Amino acid sequence: MPAVPRPRSPARHTGGWAAAAGITAVGTGLALGELTAGFVSPSLSPVTAVGGAVIDAVPPGVKDWAVSLFGTADKVALLGGMALLIAGLAALSGVVEARRRFAGVALIAVFGAVGLVAVLGRAELTLNAVPVPLLAAIVGMIALRWLVRRLGEWHSRALRAPADSAPGTTAPAAAPGTAAPAPAPAPGTTAPGTAASASAPAPAPARRRFFQALGGTAAAALIAGVLASTIRGAAAAVSELRSKLVLPGPSAPAPPVPAGAELGLEGAVPLVTPNKDFYRIDTALRVPVVNPEQWTLKVIGLVEQEISLDFAALLAKPLIERHVTIACVSNEVGGDLIGNARWLGWPVRELLALARPKDGADMVLSRSADGWTAGTPLEALTDDRDALLAVGMNGDPLPLEHGFPVRMIVPGLYGYVSATKWVTELKVTRFADDAGYWTPRGWSERGPVKTSSRIDVPRQARSVQAGTVAFGGVAWAQHTGIGRVELRVNRGTWQPAQLAPGISRDTWYQWKLELQLSPGQYEVQVRATDLNGVAQVEERAPVAPSGATGFHTVRVDVKS
Ligand SMILES: Nc1nc2c(c(=O)[nH]1)N[C@H]1C(S)=C(S)[C@@H](COP(=O)(O)O)O[C@H]1N2
Ligand SMILES: [Mo]
């Protein structure tokens, strides 16, 4: 005779399965977080970020101790330790959620916040990192609440069902340690608000529903986890190659930054944009992972000589270094889709000279590893402007997000017609025969960067102290150079700003102007004029099809 199960206290009855629900829920959140990170950017992984933060936070003595103890396996030990800690906390979240609704959910919210802080603290990341830990936490919280509710249904029905009901029907996939009573009509256990005639579902179906939920969630987590680690594995291998890569020095270094080019105004953006702060624009849902050892660049189309170049051959060329400001056509007036970096690369002109374009060719269609294309006027790649096949950005190999191992950088043209990242093919062709990715989508065929200027300090709608108010920002007229920058207050007369020397005519220039302002509201506008005396266009135009125009305008609230 089977022993009649004694009614158990809710916590003891559900403890083990609540812990399993917690681990499954958190695991699902993390797996989806890792998968998203794999798609969006290899550096967004919440687990890696937390691990990195731990490494950064550990006192040097402990680090040395860990290294001596674990040798080179210290990272493995760290990850193993983290996995144990996460599993423990996840189990705890399940147990507390079973005891008190939303207590476990709140615990996951706390993990999510820790993950978010860790991800935001990683040097190479910016705000685009926010969605990944957020997604991981939200998925974890929803899964936990759902699983624990299922567990609660099973458990409450199990308790309410008469313990001495007829034995016999065992539930499918009986869980270890759960002697659930056989299904029996349990009168009087109707759910609130349902018809009185409806009898409560028997415990076995409730139990089955819990295990289906648990199993389904675990399977989803496993699939996401396997996918994530496959993607991450490839990215990690290429990241490793990148971090070990030592780029050759330039045969022609960048002209020195002139003294005084950086005005150092508090709150202004630096003259050279650090890689981690550089804007990123591309159509790639997942950063293309291109192994430099397998990379080749093909030059095809209207050429006398087709060429195939590998990475080692490219690095063996005489590379030059240049500061170039690049901008996105989608940059609104006053926007931040623009940045200035020191690029190391081989002039495209020299490659094209070897290929010898045929008569009639007027465009080069560059193609990236993921199929994206840009159509660049042949002339811009062959004239003296030093269009580059770039391999280096501010002294480092290109970051993966910015086109590793090789991208194009063309002074004076918007990125969508020139700055192909992860470039693998140059087809010499004609505008009449080919078009880059964005052209048939409503953007103009040629994309010279429009002269523009921006006020960075004070920020829009910022209140400042009356008296001397320092204004500052940047201005650019690529490949022509800036001749003058002026400010006007409340549409008054234009006042010349101090213009810092540019690094070159292909970079932005900094400017500043101190104004005496008494308390009140002001509207301040900036206007740049290039070295040919052509002022930026005042009339407002939207970014499509060929770039925004208009004066950047900020409202400033001057307080006494
Ligand atoms: N492969 C590829 N390269 C690309 C793009 C893209 O979508 N795919 N976008 C271009 C656009 S529109 C711009 S503005 C620049 C941005 O370069 P960045 O992300 O390094 O700042 O890259 C260009 N190169
Ligand atoms: Mo762009």
Side-chain angles (χ1 to χ4, degrees), residues 112-123:
V114 171
L116 189 62
V117 169
V119 167
L120 290 179
R122 302 306 291 161

Side-chain angles (χ1 to χ4, degrees), residues 39-360:
F39 274 113
V40 178
S41 165
S43 44
L44 293 184
S45 152
V47 174
T48 314
V50 172
V54 171
I55 292 177
D56 295 349
V58 163
V62 178
K63 237 176 271 189
D64 296 345
W65 171 78
V67 171
S68 65
L69 198 62
F70 302 112
T72 48
D74 60 333
K75 288 230 172 56
V76 177
L78 171 72
L79 285 176
M82 268 180 60
L84 277 181
L85 183 70
I86 290 173
L89 288 169
L92 182 67
S93 76
V95 171
V96 300
E97 181 72 17
R99 284 172 188 236
R100 198 174 159 181
R101 189 184 300 187
F102 298 126
V105 169
L107 190 59
I108 296 184
V110 174
F111 303 162
V114 171
L116 189 62
V117 169
V119 167
L120 290 179
R122 302 306 291 161
E124 284 153 52
L125 301 173
T126 46
L127 279 183
N128 67 355
V130 173
V132 173
L134 211 61
L135 173 94
I138 289 172
V139 168
M141 292 191 285
I142 292 173
L144 181 68
R145 184 83 279 283
W146 184 58
L147 290 174
V148 168
R149 205 184 59 213
R150 281 270 182 275
L151 180 64
E153 282 165 8
W154 163 31
H155 168 247
S156 66
R157 278 166 193 152
L159 275 193
R160 270 180 254 147
D164 55 353
S165 59
T169 340
T170 43
T178 52
T189 55
T190 49
T194 57
S197 65
S199 64
R207 177 168 77 170
R208 188 168 61 236
R209 275 201 303 275
F210 169 69
F211 283 108
Q212 278 168 348
L214 190 69
T217 311
L222 199 71
I223 292 169
V226 168
L227 270 177
S229 65
T230 313
I231 290 173
R232 294 252 335 260
V238 169
S239 290
E240 179 84 9
L241 286 173
R242 176 184 175 274
S243 66
K244 294 211 174 109
L245 184 67
V246 180
L247 293 174
S251 67
V257 175
E262 177 102 62
L263 292 172
L265 190 63
E266 168 134 13
V269 301
L271 187 62
V272 178
T273 316
N275 291 357
K276 68 180 170 68
D277 297 333
F278 212 93
Y279 80 97
R280 174 186 165 199
I281 293 286
D282 52 62
T283 58
L285 202 51
R286 152 167 142 61
V287 176
V289 173
V290 180
N291 185 329
E293 288 163 3
Q294 280 146 28
W295 177 87
T296 56
L297 179 70
K298 303 238 172 337
V299 185
I300 58 167
L302 299 175
V303 290
E304 300 293 346
Q305 175 69 57
E306 292 200 344
I307 293 179
S308 176
L309 185 76
D310 67 18
F311 195 58
L314 176 58
L315 293 191
K317 302 288 182 190
L319 306 182
I320 68 172
E321 208 166 27
R322 294 288 180 267
H323 283 94
V324 177
T325 297
I326 66 166
C328 184
V329 67
S330 299
N331 195 32
E332 302 282 354
V333 170
D336 58 6
L337 299 181
I338 178 166
N340 182 40
R342 194 175 86 242
W343 308 96
L344 173 74
W346 191 40
V348 184
R349 151 182 91 235
E350 292 180 23
L351 175 62
L352 289 174
L354 297 177
R356 285 176 285 131
K358 291 182 176 163
D359 284 350

Side-chain angles (χ1 to χ4, degrees), residues 406-552:
V406 185
R407 74 173 302 169
M408 300 234 300
I409 289 293
V410 184
L413 301 183
Y414 285 124
Y416 81 105
V417 291
S418 68
T420 305
K421 304 190 271 188
W422 316 286
V423 64
T424 56
E425 185 186 279
L426 301 183
K427 179 185 178 193
V428 178
T429 178
R430 308 189 312 154
F431 277 106
D433 300 332
D434 274 302
Y437 180 90
W438 285 113
T439 303
R441 291 170 172 83
W443 297 83
S444 65
E445 188 177 72
R446 313 206 180 201
V449 178
K450 292 177 177 172
T451 296
S452 195
S453 51
R454 192 176 77 189
I455 300 171
D456 289 334
V457 248
R459 301 263 165 217
Q460 162 73 359
R462 196 55 65 80
S463 62
V464 294
Q465 275 287 314
T468 306
V469 181
F471 287 79
V474 284
W476 57 94
Q478 269 123 321
H479 212 54
T480 306
I482 288 289
R484 136 173 127 245
V485 173
E486 299 151 296
L487 245 55
R488 71 177 176 190
V489 179
N490 295 341
R491 316 253 163 174
T493 52
W494 289 105
Q495 311 179 44
Q498 175 194 339
L499 179 63
I503 304 175
S504 82
R505 55 192 184 148
D506 293 325
T507 63
W508 61 16
Y509 295 52
Q510 292 190 345
W511 60 266
K512 89 174 182 196
L513 182 61
E514 291 182 343
L515 295 174
Q516 299 301 321
L517 296 177
S518 48
Q521 297 268 341
Y522 297 90
E523 182 206 77
V524 181
Q525 293 183 302
V526 64
R527 173 175 81 174
T529 302
D530 73 17
L531 278 168
N532 294 336
V534 180
Q536 76 178 78
V537 175
E538 173 167 14
E539 195 191 333
R540 282 161 177 268
V543 294
S546 60
T549 58
F551 296 148
H552 187 209

Side-chain angles (χ1 to χ4, degrees), residues 363-367 372-376 415-420 435-437:
M363 187 249 256
V364 173
L365 190 74
S366 52
R367 182 179 296 274
W372 187 86
T373 54
T376 312
Y416 81 105
V417 291
S418 68
T420 305
Y437 180 90

